[in-house]
mmCIF file of all heavy atoms in Angstrom:
data_model
loop_
_atom_site.group_PDB
_atom_site.id
_atom_site.type_symbol
_atom_site.label_atom_id
_atom_site.label_comp_id
_atom_site.label_asym_id
_atom_site.label_seq_id
_atom_site.Cartn_x
_atom_site.Cartn_y
_atom_site.Cartn_z
ATOM 1 N N GLY A 291 -7.504 2.742 -1.245
ATOM 2 C CA GLY A 291 -6.859 1.891 -2.182
ATOM 3 C C GLY A 291 -7.530 1.815 -3.550
ATOM 4 O O GLY A 291 -6.995 1.302 -4.485
ATOM 5 N N THR A 292 -8.749 2.324 -3.565
ATOM 6 C CA THR A 292 -9.490 2.305 -4.914
ATOM 7 C C THR A 292 -8.800 3.267 -5.826
ATOM 8 O O THR A 292 -8.446 4.374 -5.495
ATOM 9 C CB THR A 292 -10.979 2.705 -4.663
ATOM 10 O OG1 THR A 292 -11.558 1.867 -3.737
ATOM 11 C CG2 THR A 292 -11.709 2.720 -6.002
ATOM 12 N N ARG A 293 -8.559 2.839 -7.111
ATOM 13 C CA ARG A 293 -8.002 3.722 -8.147
ATOM 14 C C ARG A 293 -9.136 4.251 -9.017
ATOM 15 O O ARG A 293 -10.022 3.472 -9.404
ATOM 16 C CB ARG A 293 -6.969 2.919 -8.942
ATOM 17 C CG ARG A 293 -5.662 2.777 -8.215
ATOM 18 C CD ARG A 293 -4.691 1.961 -8.991
ATOM 19 N NE ARG A 293 -3.905 2.748 -9.970
ATOM 20 C CZ ARG A 293 -3.056 2.194 -10.753
ATOM 21 N NH1 ARG A 293 -2.801 0.917 -10.766
ATOM 22 N NH2 ARG A 293 -2.363 2.995 -11.637
ATOM 23 N N LEU A 294 -9.063 5.532 -9.367
ATOM 24 C CA LEU A 294 -10.083 6.159 -10.149
ATOM 25 C C LEU A 294 -9.437 7.083 -11.220
ATOM 26 O O LEU A 294 -8.227 7.408 -11.103
ATOM 27 C CB LEU A 294 -10.994 7.048 -9.277
ATOM 28 C CG LEU A 294 -11.597 6.427 -8.006
ATOM 29 C CD1 LEU A 294 -10.827 6.916 -6.763
ATOM 30 C CD2 LEU A 294 -13.025 6.760 -7.892
ATOM 31 N N SER A 295 -10.216 7.502 -12.170
ATOM 32 C CA SER A 295 -9.695 8.465 -13.152
ATOM 33 C C SER A 295 -10.605 9.721 -13.087
ATOM 34 O O SER A 295 -11.828 9.584 -13.034
ATOM 35 C CB SER A 295 -9.839 7.849 -14.617
ATOM 36 O OG SER A 295 -9.558 8.776 -15.559
ATOM 37 N N VAL A 296 -9.985 10.830 -13.010
ATOM 38 C CA VAL A 296 -10.694 12.116 -12.843
ATOM 39 C C VAL A 296 -11.587 12.377 -14.118
ATOM 40 O O VAL A 296 -11.022 12.296 -15.219
ATOM 41 C CB VAL A 296 -9.756 13.297 -12.606
ATOM 42 C CG1 VAL A 296 -10.527 14.609 -12.459
ATOM 43 C CG2 VAL A 296 -8.894 13.027 -11.311
ATOM 44 N N LYS A 297 -12.915 12.641 -13.909
ATOM 45 C CA LYS A 297 -13.719 12.933 -15.026
ATOM 46 C C LYS A 297 -14.176 14.350 -15.085
ATOM 47 O O LYS A 297 -14.280 14.979 -16.167
ATOM 48 C CB LYS A 297 -15.021 12.039 -14.879
ATOM 49 C CG LYS A 297 -15.953 12.067 -16.067
ATOM 50 C CD LYS A 297 -17.111 11.052 -15.894
ATOM 51 C CE LYS A 297 -18.080 11.108 -17.071
ATOM 52 N NZ LYS A 297 -19.224 10.287 -16.838
ATOM 53 N N LYS A 298 -14.433 14.962 -13.938
ATOM 54 C CA LYS A 298 -14.879 16.372 -13.937
ATOM 55 C C LYS A 298 -14.511 16.920 -12.525
ATOM 56 O O LYS A 298 -14.510 16.240 -11.499
ATOM 57 C CB LYS A 298 -16.402 16.391 -14.071
ATOM 58 C CG LYS A 298 -16.998 17.737 -14.177
ATOM 59 C CD LYS A 298 -18.512 17.674 -14.397
ATOM 60 C CE LYS A 298 -19.183 19.049 -14.430
ATOM 61 N NZ LYS A 298 -20.603 18.912 -14.500
ATOM 62 N N MET A 299 -14.146 18.189 -12.571
ATOM 63 C CA MET A 299 -13.746 18.892 -11.283
ATOM 64 C C MET A 299 -14.496 20.186 -11.021
ATOM 65 O O MET A 299 -14.654 21.009 -11.955
ATOM 66 C CB MET A 299 -12.257 19.181 -11.360
ATOM 67 C CG MET A 299 -11.346 17.956 -11.313
ATOM 68 S SD MET A 299 -9.600 18.274 -11.407
ATOM 69 C CE MET A 299 -9.435 18.582 -13.155
ATOM 70 N N THR A 300 -15.082 20.267 -9.810
ATOM 71 C CA THR A 300 -15.703 21.505 -9.404
ATOM 72 C C THR A 300 -15.035 21.946 -8.091
ATOM 73 O O THR A 300 -14.268 21.112 -7.504
ATOM 74 C CB THR A 300 -17.218 21.303 -9.173
ATOM 75 O OG1 THR A 300 -17.413 20.395 -8.090
ATOM 76 C CG2 THR A 300 -17.946 20.792 -10.359
ATOM 77 N N PRO A 301 -15.322 23.116 -7.615
ATOM 78 C CA PRO A 301 -14.547 23.580 -6.428
ATOM 79 C C PRO A 301 -14.653 22.639 -5.181
ATOM 80 O O PRO A 301 -13.692 22.515 -4.428
ATOM 81 C CB PRO A 301 -15.192 24.932 -6.113
ATOM 82 C CG PRO A 301 -15.666 25.462 -7.430
ATOM 83 C CD PRO A 301 -16.126 24.218 -8.134
ATOM 84 N N ASN A 302 -15.793 21.996 -4.978
ATOM 85 C CA ASN A 302 -15.959 21.189 -3.726
ATOM 86 C C ASN A 302 -16.174 19.696 -4.009
ATOM 87 O O ASN A 302 -16.227 18.929 -3.006
ATOM 88 C CB ASN A 302 -17.101 21.778 -2.944
ATOM 89 C CG ASN A 302 -16.817 23.147 -2.493
ATOM 90 O OD1 ASN A 302 -15.763 23.344 -1.844
ATOM 91 N ND2 ASN A 302 -17.639 24.046 -2.720
ATOM 92 N N VAL A 303 -16.288 19.303 -5.251
ATOM 93 C CA VAL A 303 -16.511 17.861 -5.532
ATOM 94 C C VAL A 303 -15.703 17.445 -6.717
ATOM 95 O O VAL A 303 -15.591 18.192 -7.744
ATOM 96 C CB VAL A 303 -18.025 17.580 -5.807
ATOM 97 C CG1 VAL A 303 -18.201 16.182 -6.324
ATOM 98 C CG2 VAL A 303 -18.837 17.858 -4.564
ATOM 99 N N ILE A 304 -15.113 16.220 -6.728
ATOM 100 C CA ILE A 304 -14.468 15.659 -7.925
ATOM 101 C C ILE A 304 -15.347 14.501 -8.384
ATOM 102 O O ILE A 304 -15.691 13.647 -7.588
ATOM 103 C CB ILE A 304 -13.077 15.148 -7.560
ATOM 104 C CG1 ILE A 304 -12.120 16.299 -7.183
ATOM 105 C CG2 ILE A 304 -12.483 14.339 -8.737
ATOM 106 C CD1 ILE A 304 -10.751 15.903 -6.673
ATOM 107 N N GLU A 305 -15.658 14.518 -9.658
ATOM 108 C CA GLU A 305 -16.349 13.368 -10.236
ATOM 109 C C GLU A 305 -15.284 12.478 -10.908
ATOM 110 O O GLU A 305 -14.469 12.944 -11.631
ATOM 111 C CB GLU A 305 -17.411 13.810 -11.310
ATOM 112 C CG GLU A 305 -18.286 12.651 -11.817
ATOM 113 C CD GLU A 305 -19.288 13.093 -12.860
ATOM 114 O OE1 GLU A 305 -19.553 14.316 -12.967
ATOM 115 O OE2 GLU A 305 -19.824 12.222 -13.525
#
Side-chain angles (χ1 to χ4, degrees):
T292 302
R293 285 176 83 181
L294 310 103
S295 171
V296 177
K297 187 177 180 184
K298 186 179 175 186
M299 292 179 281
T300 63
N302 295 308
V303 172
I304 294 172
E305 186 179 346

